[in-house]
Amino acid sequence: MTETGCKDPVILNLWHPIAAVAETAPGRVADTVLLEERLGFAIDDAGNAAVWRSRPGLATGDRVEPLEVRDTLPAKLAYGYLWTSLGSPEEIFPIPEFAEPDRRRLNAATIGVNVSAPRAIENFLDMGHFPYVHTDILGAEPHTEVKEYDVEISIERDEILATRCRFFQPMASTTSSGGADVDYIYRVPHPYCSVLYKSSPVDEKRLDVIAVFLQPIDQEHIHAHMMLCVLDEENEDKVIKRFQQTIFGQDKPILENQFPKRLPLDPRAETPIRADKSAIAYRRWLSQKGVTYGVIPALG
Amino acid sequence: MQQERTRTRWHPIAASHDLPPRHVFHAQLWGREFAVWRADDGYVNVWENRCLHRGVRLSIGINDGRELKCQYHGWRYANRTAGCTYIPAHPADAPARTITNRTYPAVERYGLVWSCEQPEGEVPGVPGLEREAPLALRGIPVNAPAALVVTALRAHRFQPNGRIDGSDAEMVVKAADDFSVALSARADGAATLAIFFVQPVDSGRSVIRGVLDRDPGAEARNAVLRHHNAGLSVLRDNVERQAAARPAPAPIEPVYERVPAALAELPEPSAHGRKAALRVTVARKWEAADGIAGFELRPLKGLLPTFQPGAHIDVHLPNGAIRQYSIVNGPGESDRYVIGVKREADSKGGSLCLHETVREGDVLAISEPRNNFPLRRDAVKTLLVAGGIGATPLIAMAQALHHQRLVHSFHYFAQNEAQLAFGDRLDGLKDTLVPHLGLTPQETGGRLRDILSGYAEGMHVYLCGPGPMLEAARAIAGECGWPDEAVHFEYFKNTRAIDDSSAFEIALARSCLTLKVPAGRSILEVMREAGVDMPSSCEQGACGTCMATVIEGEPDHQDVYLNDAEKRAGTKIMTCVSRAKSARLVLDV
Ligand code: FES
Ligand SMILES: [Fe+2]
């Protein structure tokens, strides 16, 4: 085995996203970086995929039959992305809604951010920043309160679940003009992935699904893949994507000014408040799992 | 070791002209970043460049002239103390006073801002710069270690003021050490002394901060600045070329202080006892209105703790009495506390003593500020309704709302114009202030009804004034549809007669103690005797400081702090006056 920059067995043995299937030219070699390793990959029209450690002879842009590549890494297509692993991965976490036939599924954006994956996950879980960072979109002053919500670490599913989350959103739905509380449910089923369920503006009884799948380039750089699985028959892809790209573009400069870039797991490194319950649970969960990559482990 | 020695040395970290109004400057010394900003009152703040909440750089925050606001979640930090004054995610809570960012000393001298990680002594004077107005040059960042830059500067050349077109100045190194070089240039009878300070930004980066002994005057200034810029840029390019040829030194990893253990846990830490921790001098005493004395209290040494609008302090008087007074200050006014004291006809010695005995220059003992009357800033509209001296906490609130441009109006009831206190502060509020003068109790009721009609969801009202007016206002608010949670009030005192004839038992769940409270003693007294530290302030059920959580049992509320809904819920109790209806109370203490 080649020496890799990541020594964290928990992270090495996970599935990681490396590309949106819709944005990969079929039958051509493409390349990327995962956990400081250079990787090559290819997907054909039939949905066969191969991922390998970059090597001479398979240059980016070359034609290739994925099924014929030898000496490959695990590969899997799920939720519109190609996933791989540098270790021995188990099953990937489920998102049952992805199979519902009336939903739109798309990769909203893949954006490079100069921050650790866990910092970006915390940002995704965080409602308190809506009025300040996503002003007049996801929140607006003076409606700044983060109301009580529930968080649990589900042992059986090994994931964090935050429920009963509500936050005031101006223009909450396409049907009414005023602002209202919007409901959210957050799942963190993977140290570097999170899934958000949010009241659908078109159907009160159902939830839109928005997920971030983070590809760790190294401890302090990521590619954030944003997956949408929404109930929307009106808007063009372009419009839906642009909205999510705006949101993410607002978070990026904040994330890149967070210090230190790796997430400190020492409870005394920063000052949590009640609104940060889900982040506190996330930090504890990472500590319990023994994750060391992308974090500053607590001493002792 | 070199590191240790250099941590105690003062270095320039910015030029004064880097700190225009409402700007935040990003500075760095030995790898440690600072957010440097000047408040409207002129004070220069040098803070760790990291919000205590989630580590976002404060140098991308907003300097509103009085406070610095973090971009990520809008936490506000006060001028001078760097104490957090408001956490928007929890608008109903007063932030724990101890959430305070790390500050570093700042001294402005020679047009530069100086700081130091662990100062020993004052900023040293620099010979040659003391005489006249010196001129600070533009800072020149260099990608090279300080030592290389200093070596290069020893051979640096420039022309004296008035002779910048020549090229033949006679250069003399007047003095030099590890981080500075003093050079004099002479030509045709003109002489200029320049001191170049080398600010070690990191192990491999520096900033050259030059100061000329004399400002050449407005006309020649730009040309002189350009002359030095050009010369130093050439020097920079040479030094950077040398540095690039050597192995890059490892960047310095600054060590961040951990936050206090109490803040890392979710429950907010509680304050302690009825203590007078601070000593202040009466810097000014004046007539703030007819019958109301204003007092400006300044610390004997150090800084005063951070306060928020609505907070009060206990003042321990020379005659032994302890009285509570609201802080009148606006945001960021952190070098003093201002209070207003009304002369009470039936005073038991508190107000009389302050009016007659206490003078400018006297020293008083006061408690740290406590906030049991916190101001939410998430209201769609805030009404402030004050009667008489009850205006003091609301003046503080009005200034905060006004400064943040939040929608509000401030209704101030008084006998006549002369009784409106702190006119200078009221003037600043402009048309949000609505005085109501000389009304009879009946007219007051009618006016309150006008003010309180038109409740809409998301509005909040804050009431403070004499007991009867508060009772009336609360009743009218109820009739006008205001829910209890939207009506906030503060009584100055509890005028109800306290019935302390009951006897019962209390169990303290966290301290594992069971105590008997006999008739004639309060829960607070009994707990204190058993060694349980419990904060308190007014000790008459008005201020809310001694509140405890009830886990089991039925409280007998005798306070004026809790609202009716809170009293009915039975989950909170004022331990100084309230008692039990049940035989036993279990408290979360
Ligand atoms: S990081 Fe500054 S307010 Fe949250
Ligand atoms: Fe965000």
Side-chain angles (χ1 to χ4, degrees):
Chain A
M1 232 183 106
T2 340
E3 182 73 8
T4 113
C6 173
K7 302 275 184 300
D8 178 340
V10 183
I11 298 301
L12 284 174
N13 285 327
L14 290 171
W15 286 108
H16 296 282
I18 57 170
V21 176
E23 273 137 59
T24 306
R28 298 269 181 193
V29 172
D31 66 320
T32 188
V33 176
L34 175 69
L35 299 169
E36 300 161 53
E37 283 290 326
R38 292 212 67 84
L39 302 182
F41 63 92
I43 310 173
D44 69 14
D45 281 319
N48 299 301
V51 184
W52 59 88
R53 290 197 157 83
S54 286
R55 55 186 183 236
L58 284 170
T60 302
D62 283 0
R63 276 200 178 285
V64 69
E65 288 292 337
L67 288 179
E68 280 164 19
V69 182
R70 299 286 146 240
D71 197 6
T72 55
L73 294 167
K76 174 187 207 74
L77 299 186
Y79 314 130
Y81 297 87
L82 169 61
W83 301 68
T84 189
S85 175
L86 301 182
S88 321
E90 294 177 9
E91 268 309 292
I92 200 163
F93 55 88
I95 306 179
E97 296 75 10
F98 192 81
E100 292 173 6
D102 60 342
R103 287 181 182 265
R104 294 268 290 278
R105 287 165 275 259
L106 43 117
N107 172 45
T110 293
I111 299 183
V113 191
N114 182 359
V115 74
S116 64
R119 284 276 194 202
I121 291 293
E122 269 202 10
N123 166 265
F124 192 71
L125 298 177
D126 176 80
M127 293 180 283
H129 75 288
F130 290 174
Y132 296 97
V133 180
H134 309 298
T135 314
D136 297 336
I137 304 178
L138 297 180
E141 284 186 277
H143 308 281
T144 57
E145 181 164 21
V146 176
K147 298 171 194 89
E148 285 299 321
Y149 60 90
D150 298 324
V151 185
E152 55 171 315
I153 301 186
S154 150
I155 308 279
E156 150 217 347
R157 287 195 301 179
D158 190 25
E159 69 174 51
I160 293 170
L161 188 65
T163 51
R164 244 172 24 90
C165 307
R166 284 158 296 154
F167 202 83
F168 179 91
Q169 179 172 315
M171 304 189 305
S173 78
T174 43
T175 45
S176 77
S177 57
D181 271 0
V182 170
D183 295 314
Y184 298 86
I185 296 170
Y186 291 93
R187 288 172 57 198
V188 188
H190 176 301
Y192 298 167
C193 297
S194 181
V195 185
L196 153 68
Y197 298 79
K198 176 176 180 181
S199 335
S200 157
V202 294
D203 181 348
E204 274 170 34
K205 285 180 282 306
R206 294 178 66 193
L207 299 167
D208 279 342
V209 184
I210 301 168
V212 280
F213 304 139
L214 304 179
Q215 171 185 356
I217 303 303
D218 62 27
Q219 299 214 59
E220 301 187 349
H221 295 83
I222 56 170
H223 284 174
H225 304 283
M226 302 255 298
M227 189 276 278
L228 296 182
C229 178
V230 295
L231 298 156
D232 183 336
E233 281 161 16
E234 298 260 300
N235 291 302
E236 275 182 84
D237 278 12
K238 225 178 28 204
V239 177
I240 305 180
K241 286 185 181 183
R242 198 176 312 124
F243 177 79
Q244 289 303 326
Q245 286 162 359
T246 306
I247 300 284
F248 214 84
Q250 293 171 327
D251 283 319
K252 183 177 151 88
I254 297 284
L255 287 169
E256 296 186 336
N257 276 293
Q258 248 177 316
F259 233 67
K261 289 192 179 299
R262 285 178 291 147
L263 184 73
L265 298 184
D266 174 359
R268 284 177 55 190
E270 293 174 346
T271 317
I273 54 171
R274 292 197 308 286
D276 301 321
K277 270 197 328 208
S278 52
I280 295 163
Y282 174 61
R283 291 186 188 194
R284 278 204 200 118
W285 185 65
L286 292 179
S287 276
Q288 284 160 10
K289 285 180 158 313
V291 169
T292 57
Y293 196 79
V295 302
I296 301 173
L299 300 169
Chain B
M1 182 189 148
Q2 150 118 357
Q3 281 282 308
E4 282 319 304
R5 190 164 51 78
T6 49
R7 299 239 184 263
T8 61
R9 176 174 174 137
W10 290 85
H11 290 280
I13 57 165
S16 294
H17 62 243
D18 291 329
L19 307 180
R22 309 290 171 107
H23 178 71
V24 189
F25 180 79
H26 177 163
Q28 197 172 348
L29 190 60
W30 293 120
R32 187 181 292 282
E33 292 187 13
F34 304 106
V36 186
W37 63 285
R38 191 192 296 279
D40 286 357
D41 67 5
Y43 190 83
V44 175
N45 292 279
V46 178
W47 296 356
E48 185 100 78
N49 192 16
R50 237 176 111 234
C51 177
L52 288 175
H53 179 215
R54 283 304 181 240
V56 168
R57 283 195 173 98
L58 289 173
S59 55
I60 65 166
I62 293 162
N63 166 2
D64 78 0
R66 294 164 175 260
E67 293 178 320
L68 190 65
K69 180 175 131 189
C70 177
Q71 288 274 33
Y72 198 1
H73 306 96
W75 286 26
R76 306 181 77 91
Y77 295 94
N79 179 22
R80 269 187 199 82
T81 62
C84 178
T85 59
Y86 189 64
I87 296 178
H90 298 305
D93 303 359
R97 205 170 35 237
T98 33
I99 301 185
T100 302
N101 198 357
R102 186 156 176 207
T103 58
Y104 295 87
V107 172
E108 267 185 293
R109 195 177 280 178
Y110 318 128
L112 299 176
V113 177
W114 299 72
S115 190
C116 174
E117 209 163 304
Q118 291 155 5
E120 282 173 6
E122 305 293 315
V123 181
V126 179
L129 293 186
E130 306 288 9
R131 295 176 307 173
E132 286 173 65
L135 175 67
L137 304 178
R138 215 186 65 197
I140 306 283
V142 188
N143 282 317
L148 270 188
V149 180
V150 169
T151 309
L153 279 168
R154 283 168 154 270
H156 182 56
R157 302 186 54 82
F158 62 89
Q159 291 294 115
N161 294 355
R163 304 284 184 277
I164 55 170
D165 293 329
S167 60
D168 55 347
E170 177 196 330
M171 301 299 303
V172 177
V173 178
K174 290 285 195 186
D177 68 9
D178 290 351
F179 298 99
S180 64
V181 178
L183 299 177
S184 95
R186 278 174 191 285
D188 311 332
T192 293
L193 176 73
I195 320 255
F196 296 97
F197 301 98
V198 179
Q199 169 194 352
V201 168
D202 202 331
S203 54
R205 288 183 301 144
S206 316
V207 177
I208 303 173
R209 298 199 177 277
V211 182
L212 306 187
D213 59 350
R214 200 165 320 172
D215 188 332
E219 245 153 68
R221 194 181 299 135
N222 274 339
V224 166
L225 287 174
R226 248 180 282 122
H227 168 71
H228 284 275
N229 250 337
L232 289 170
S233 301
V234 172
L235 178 136
R236 177 193 55 208
D237 294 348
N238 286 334
V239 177
E240 288 189 344
R241 225 170 291 127
Q242 286 174 37
R246 307 182 177 200
I252 304 171
E253 293 265 351
V255 180
Y256 297 115
E257 248 173 32
R258 304 172 85 203
V259 300
L263 290 181
E265 295 300 323
L266 276 197
E268 309 247 295
S270 57
H272 319 279
R274 204 184 192 196
K275 292 171 192 153
L278 306 173
R279 296 289 177 278
V280 289
T281 42
V282 177
R284 186 175 159 229
K285 174 181 176 181
W286 75 105
E287 197 177 357
D290 193 7
I292 297 175
F295 291 85
E296 186 180 300
L297 309 176
R298 290 192 180 256
L300 285 194
K301 61 171 192 302
L303 295 177
L304 291 169
T306 310
F307 63 89
Q308 303 115 24
H312 74 265
I313 49 172
D314 293 348
V315 178
H316 294 237
L317 295 169
N319 67 2
I322 303 176
R323 291 286 179 273
Q324 289 73 49
Y325 296 101
S326 295
I327 296 176
V328 176
N329 297 35
E333 228 184 290
S334 43
D335 52 348
R336 70 204 110 143
Y337 294 149
V338 175
I339 59 172
V341 179
K342 182 177 177 201
R343 180 190 213 108
E344 299 280 1
D346 57 349
S347 164
K348 277 189 265 163
S351 74
L352 219 57
C353 174
L354 275 162
H355 269 263
E356 281 168 14
T357 321
V358 174
R359 292 195 208 152
E360 286 184 1
D362 285 359
V363 173
L364 293 176
I366 63 170
S367 71
E368 304 211 317
R370 252 182 236 110
N371 196 0
N372 303 318
F373 194 31
L375 173 67
R376 303 179 66 115
R377 303 185 207 181
D378 64 340
V380 295
K381 175 169 188 185
T382 305
L383 299 183
L384 307 172
V385 181
I389 189 63
T392 49
L394 301 190
I395 292 174
M397 293 183 181
Q399 291 169 99
L401 294 170
H402 186 263
H403 182 65
Q404 275 184 252
R405 300 182 193 192
L406 295 168
V407 183
H408 69 288
S409 53
F410 178 19
H411 298 274
Y412 189 170
F413 290 78
Q415 279 316 314
N416 52 53
E417 186 141 11
Q419 289 191 3
L420 295 174
F422 299 102
D424 48 334
R425 289 171 191 273
L426 299 180
D427 288 346
L429 299 174
K430 309 260 160 44
D431 19 299
T432 54
L433 175 74
V434 189
H436 303 276
L437 302 176
L439 302 185
T440 65
Q442 220 158 36
E443 289 166 335
T444 301
R447 195 62 65 84
L448 286 170
R449 198 168 289 279
D450 295 344
I451 295 168
L452 292 167
S453 62
Y455 167 74
E457 202 188 319
M459 286 173 64
H460 284 266
V461 63
Y462 292 79
L463 308 166
C464 188
M469 177 184 164
L470 280 196
E471 298 296 339
R474 289 173 59 195
I476 293 168
E479 288 160 28
C480 294
W482 290 76
D484 279 348
E485 324 79 74
V487 182
H488 311 266
F489 50 84
E490 184 170 76
Y491 285 81
F492 330 130
K493 54 181 178 232
N494 187 356
T495 49
R496 299 170 44 164
I498 306 297
D499 174 2
D500 61 0
S501 60
S502 58
F504 53 96
E505 190 178 274
I506 51 171
L508 307 184
R510 265 187 284 158
S511 324
C512 297
L513 272 179
T514 302
L515 304 169
K516 290 213 178 326
V517 182
R521 316 284 321 273
S522 69
I523 298 177
L524 183 66
E525 285 167 345
V526 170
M527 285 199 299
R528 286 228 175 112
E529 244 156 57
V532 178
D533 192 16
M534 185 74 186
S536 73
S537 176
C538 75
E539 302 197 349
Q540 47 163 292
C543 77
T545 306
C546 67
M547 184 159 73
T549 298
V550 179
I551 299 173
E552 202 185 296
E554 192 191 343
D556 172 14
H557 296 292
Q558 307 207 32
D559 62 278
V560 290
Y561 180 77
L562 297 175
N563 67 29
D564 295 339
E566 289 163 337
K567 284 183 178 165
R568 275 195 304 277
T571 56
K572 297 281 179 217
I573 188 168
M574 294 305 134
T575 54
C576 64
V577 292
S578 296
R579 309 181 70 81
K581 285 188 181 149
S582 50
R584 183 179 146 90
L585 276 186
V586 181
L587 302 181
D588 187 17
V589 172

